[in-house]
Amino acid sequence: MATSCTQQQQEQMMEQFVTACRDAGLKVTHQRTEIYRQLINQPDHPTAETLHKRLLATLPTISLDTVYRTLTTLEDNGLVSRIQTAESQARFEAVYAAHHHLICSRCKRVVDFQWPVVDTLEPPADVADWGQIDSKTIVMYGVCNTCSNR
Amino acid sequence: MATSCTQQQQEQMMEQFVTACRDAGLKVTHQRTEIYRQLINQPDHPTAETLHKRLLATLPTISLDTVYRTLTTLEDNGLVSRIQTAESQARFEAVYAAHHHLICSRCKRVVDFQWPVVDTLEPPADVADWGQIDSKTIVMYGVCNTCSNR
DNA sequence: TTGACTGCAAACGATTTGCAATTGC
DNA sequence: GCAATTGCAAATCGTTTGCAGTCAA
């Protein structure tokens, strides 16, 4: 599931990221590339705070506000998505293939999974009557095996 | 969809609520019953603040902290659920039949819908390997017709 | 060069908490 | 009567913002 990708894939994603920034009129700053790189390097849906701590290793002067500001900017441009959980802190991930989320009620870890059948399923008529759908995500809450075996 | 129920159904839900509180060892206070009544009376997924404003009509001295505290207590006891949206404020609803959520990115309104096919569908093997699932909700973001026709 | 971006510090808004008074059981 | 619950006020926590300096284009 939420495995990180190969070196090659990463570099490709970074190139696409730079292009996407340019296309969106966003400056390609050191902070932005490192934030995005970190998100694809360790795709475990970190909070802004966790991400900031990790980034300090590479960018010792980066501020938490910049992390927040950058994540918001990238989200506005569809490069990052914000995951709503039952926690107080938001979690973030680089946008890529359609997927869904498993959230452990104990350790709060978020794990991705695919469910192609549902992705292609036609939503009920009620939904079509309501308006236009932009995204569709399944969120399952439960207890992961690591937590329950303890 | 998110229509309120009949007078009879409401009274029945209130009775069940009182029983559930007693079973859980929770005192049946005026504030708690009014909060729950309000949630089933106007099931439009209010924020704690909205709920508090509405409650002031009936309980002029109820405090916002009590609303927060009660919602958390009821959530812990499975009587209320907290809906995560992209907003800063959480939204709440009385727990009842399985349903899913449509959220309008513009007006932020949350609408319930049913999708029985998905409810009965067997999740992929990855999910079973992960752990035990307690809840499964689909969240769709989009723009409702009211907002797009403006 | 110039406007976008950053870091700093201070502000903000939603939610939580300690405490004394109150209330349900 | 006693423990749980409330209202009040103050604290907390995640996140946002104003500003002056910095940096990518």
Side-chain angles (χ1 to χ4, degrees):
Chain A
M1 296 189 250
T3 32
S4 67
C5 40
T6 68
Q7 190 70 33
Q8 279 200 3
Q9 286 175 313
Q10 273 188 38
E11 276 169 37
Q12 201 183 334
M13 288 190 78
M14 287 311 299
E15 277 174 41
Q16 288 172 0
F17 172 73
V18 170
T19 310
C21 282
R22 295 243 162 79
D23 288 353
L26 297 175
K27 290 194 174 164
V28 182
T29 65
H30 199 187
Q31 290 89 336
R32 282 183 182 159
T33 51
E34 286 311 299
I35 286 172
Y36 194 79
R37 190 194 310 282
Q38 187 54 247
L39 276 180
I40 57 179
N41 242 328
Q42 231 168 311
D44 58 352
H45 320 86
T47 62
E49 207 187 337
T50 305
L51 195 53
H52 179 235
K53 278 185 194 142
R54 289 179 186 167
L55 286 161
L56 285 175
T58 334
L59 297 171
T61 63
I62 195 171
S63 70
L64 181 56
D65 347 286
T66 298
V67 175
Y68 273 114
R69 238 182 309 220
T70 304
L71 289 170
T72 306
T73 307
L74 297 184
E75 191 193 9
D76 290 345
N77 288 277
L79 292 165
V80 156
S81 72
R82 187 181 297 254
I83 303 170
Q84 295 308 134
T85 73
E87 294 175 288
S88 49
Q89 291 180 90
R91 289 172 171 273
F92 299 87
E93 67 184 1
V95 167
Y96 59 113
H99 64 272
H100 308 286
H101 291 132
L102 285 168
I103 305 178
C104 176
S105 311
R106 301 240 183 103
C107 65
K108 316 294 180 195
R109 259 189 271 267
V110 180
V111 168
D112 297 344
F113 72 98
Q114 319 269 125
W115 200 355
V117 190
V118 175
D119 298 337
T120 53
L121 219 59
E122 193 66 32
D126 275 359
V127 174
D129 293 344
W130 174 83
Q132 184 217 320
I133 300 301
D134 297 326
S135 76
K136 175 170 69 176
T137 313
I138 298 169
V139 182
M140 295 196 189
Y141 278 90
V143 180
C144 70
N145 286 328
T146 316
C147 281
S148 56
N149 295 338
R150 205 191 310 156
Chain B
M1 295 189 250
T3 32
S4 68
C5 40
T6 68
Q7 190 70 33
Q8 280 199 4
Q9 287 175 311
Q10 272 187 40
E11 276 170 37
Q12 199 183 335
M13 288 190 79
M14 287 311 298
E15 277 175 41
Q16 288 172 359
F17 172 74
V18 171
T19 310
C21 282
R22 294 243 163 80
D23 288 353
L26 297 174
K27 289 191 174 168
V28 182
T29 65
H30 198 188
Q31 290 88 335
R32 283 184 180 156
T33 51
E34 286 312 300
I35 286 172
Y36 193 79
R37 190 195 310 282
Q38 187 53 249
L39 276 180
I40 57 180
N41 241 329
Q42 234 169 310
D44 58 353
H45 320 86
T47 63
E49 205 186 339
T50 306
L51 195 53
H52 179 236
K53 277 186 194 141
R54 289 180 186 165
L55 287 161
L56 285 175
T58 334
L59 297 171
T61 63
I62 195 171
S63 70
L64 180 56
D65 347 283
T66 298
V67 176
Y68 273 113
R69 238 182 309 220
T70 304
L71 289 170
T72 305
T73 306
L74 297 183
E75 191 194 9
D76 290 345
N77 287 279
L79 292 164
V80 156
S81 71
R82 186 182 297 255
I83 303 170
Q84 294 309 134
T85 73
E87 294 175 290
S88 49
Q89 290 180 91
R91 290 172 170 274
F92 299 87
E93 68 183 1
V95 167
Y96 58 113
H99 64 274
H100 307 285
H101 292 132
L102 285 168
I103 305 177
C104 177
S105 311
R106 301 242 182 102
C107 65
K108 317 294 180 195
R109 258 189 272 265
V110 180
V111 168
D112 296 343
F113 73 97
Q114 318 271 125
W115 199 354
V117 190
V118 175
D119 298 337
T120 54
L121 219 57
E122 193 66 33
D126 275 358
V127 174
D129 294 343
W130 173 83
Q132 184 217 319
I133 300 302
D134 298 326
S135 76
K136 177 170 66 177
T137 313
I138 298 170
V139 182
M140 294 197 190
Y141 278 90
V143 179
C144 71
N145 286 329
T146 316
C147 282
S148 56
N149 296 336
R150 204 191 309 154

